[in-house]
Amino acid sequence: MAKRGRLPLTRRLIQLYAALLYNAHLRGFAEGKIYTGSLKNLCVPGLNCYSCPGAVAACPLGALQNAISASADRPAFYVVGLLLLFGLLLGRVICGFLCPFGLIQELLHKIPTKKVKKSPLTRKLSRLKYVILLVFAVAIPAWFALKNLPLPGFCKYICPAGTLEGAVLLLLHPANGALRAMTGGLFWWKLTLLATILTACVFVYRAFCRFLCPLGALYGLLSRLALLGVKVDAGRCTDCGACVRVCPMDIRRVGDRECVQCGTCISVCPTRAISFRAGKIVLHGAALQERRLP
Amino acid sequence: MTRRTVLWAGLCAAAVLLIVLGVVNGGSRDVFAKAVKICSECIGLG
């Protein structure tokens, strides 16, 4: 087997930096208040609740639902443009490198227990996130927008990042007693769902990303066009399937819409056909090592 | 230049145009207005 290289460590460091960068308003954690500066005009590419006390920018999925809710007044150009640009430049590299909730799931999966491996069932379940995208993140906000009622369906009924980063971190702070007094059935539903998802992530690799995340579904639709990501040199590939076997996600081929571009497959390719690229520029992989040889 | 490159460049240009139109029509202000308030839906308060 080829040498593993440094991509896993680099990826973990980038994930940590991204999580810190998204939540750089450290004073917010101490004061139990959210950031209200001008950076909140922008969205970060990954799933990160804007009600997290540390969040310095908006969540793209929350912003999309609110833009759809307000679409009777003005078309959702801004958020759609941002999501399209993120998807075209980075694709699901965002999921693999720049999503704090993805990092949390990966760390939970490191807890030593028996693991559920991918199977035809998990592959079928991975289609659920496209339904959630369509129903909760698009159709419900659009339907209620017709009645002039803003209803971000995914944020309200499902989003575990909002519950963890927003609800838990805000409500635990002593200064937010008034918010705690307002908790009801919806809060307990979301907290139960969060606990279920986090528990599932201990046994199932990135359970939320694979089965439920509408943002990953959206970026997945653009992943074949994305500039940055894991690419396969078709001339070298022998279709041995080693890459698909080692991948913990429900991929059919490297770089397809289920691939979070983590690069785990690069080191197992016997013909060195896989590399991490930005367009034609090789950033990591055997092809780069070969170019460096005299 | 391949067809895929042309499609990619065209979509990128469309994305930038949408962002500019969104800034002009107040879309970025909407994002800001929502993001600077505690989102009651996100934290499960309804």
Side-chain angles (χ1 to χ4, degrees):
Chain A
M1 187 178 285
K3 197 177 170 186
R4 275 181 67 81
R6 289 183 298 180
L7 189 62
L9 176 63
T10 309
R11 188 171 78 89
R12 188 68 78 227
L13 286 174
I14 293 173
Q15 284 178 305
L16 281 168
Y17 287 145
L20 284 171
L21 198 64
Y22 287 7
N23 298 293
H25 181 60
L26 300 179
R27 210 174 68 192
F29 293 109
E31 294 177 351
K33 292 179 182 167
I34 64 168
Y35 170 74
T36 55
S38 57
L39 278 174
K40 281 208 166 164
N41 277 294
L42 301 171
C43 296
V44 289
L47 192 72
N48 193 71
C49 185
Y50 38 36
S51 289
C52 174
V56 295
C59 169
L61 194 61
L64 174 69
Q65 291 167 84
N66 285 305
I68 293 172
S69 294
S71 56
D73 296 330
R74 61 177 65 90
F77 291 148
Y78 181 68
V79 183
V80 171
L82 277 178
L83 284 167
L84 187 59
L85 196 62
F86 288 148
L88 289 167
L89 294 177
L90 302 168
R92 291 203 78 182
V93 169
I94 294 163
C95 305
F97 286 75
L98 302 175
C99 182
F101 203 70
L103 172 64
I104 291 168
Q105 292 175 80
E106 287 186 11
L107 295 178
L108 283 171
H109 194 65
K110 290 208 171 285
I111 295 172
T113 55
K114 200 169 181 181
K115 305 298 179 189
V116 177
K117 290 183 179 168
K118 64 180 178 182
S119 65
L121 175 67
T122 61
R123 190 164 283 166
K124 278 181 188 156
L125 283 174
S126 70
R127 294 176 194 153
L128 185 60
K129 61 181 173 290
Y130 299 97
V131 178
I132 289 175
L133 168 66
L134 200 66
V135 174
F136 285 88
V138 178
I140 290 178
W143 175 257
F144 281 87
L146 297 174
K147 301 176 181 180
N148 270 334
L149 289 170
L151 203 162
F154 180 77
C155 291
K156 185 167 181 173
Y157 299 113
I158 299 175
C159 186
T163 315
L164 182 65
E165 298 169 6
V168 174
L169 292 179
L170 274 178
L171 297 178
L172 280 178
H173 197 280
N176 293 322
L179 283 177
R180 275 195 299 279
M182 290 164 67
T183 54
L186 182 63
F187 172 76
W188 292 109
W189 154 252
K190 284 198 71 180
L191 199 63
T192 307
L193 192 61
L194 170 68
T196 308
I197 289 170
L198 294 182
T199 307
C201 291
V202 175
F203 304 99
V204 184
Y205 183 76
R206 278 181 168 250
F208 173 73
C209 298
R210 283 162 74 185
F211 310 136
L212 303 173
C213 182
L215 193 58
L218 198 62
Y219 290 142
L221 297 174
L222 293 165
S223 64
R224 287 193 70 185
L225 286 171
L227 182 72
L228 193 67
V230 176
K231 314 283 178 191
V232 180
D233 181 344
R236 288 181 169 206
C237 178
T238 56
D239 282 326
C240 69
C243 48
V244 175
R245 282 195 297 277
V246 78
C247 178
M249 301 293 286
D250 299 291
I251 64 165
R252 289 184 187 276
R253 316 185 290 284
V254 170
D256 70 8
R257 63 186 186 204
E258 298 301 322
C259 172
V260 291
Q261 314 285 338
C262 67
T264 304
C265 52
I266 292 174
S267 60
V268 300
C269 179
T271 58
R272 299 179 169 193
I274 308 171
S275 55
F276 201 87
R277 291 169 188 251
K280 290 182 179 173
I281 303 165
V282 181
L283 301 174
H284 179 86
L288 182 65
Q289 289 161 15
E290 283 166 18
R291 274 192 202 174
R292 283 176 180 165
L293 290 173
Chain B
M1 200 181 261
T2 63
R3 275 178 62 187
R4 200 180 136 175
T5 311
V6 173
L7 177 66
W8 184 85
L11 285 171
C12 278
V16 172
L17 182 67
L18 284 172
I19 293 169
V20 172
L21 286 173
V23 171
V24 172
N25 82 354
S28 66
R29 279 200 307 274
D30 286 350
V31 169
F32 177 79
K34 179 71 183 173
V36 294
K37 291 182 200 143
I38 291 175
C39 167
S40 57
E41 293 94 351
C42 304
I43 66 173
L45 299 182

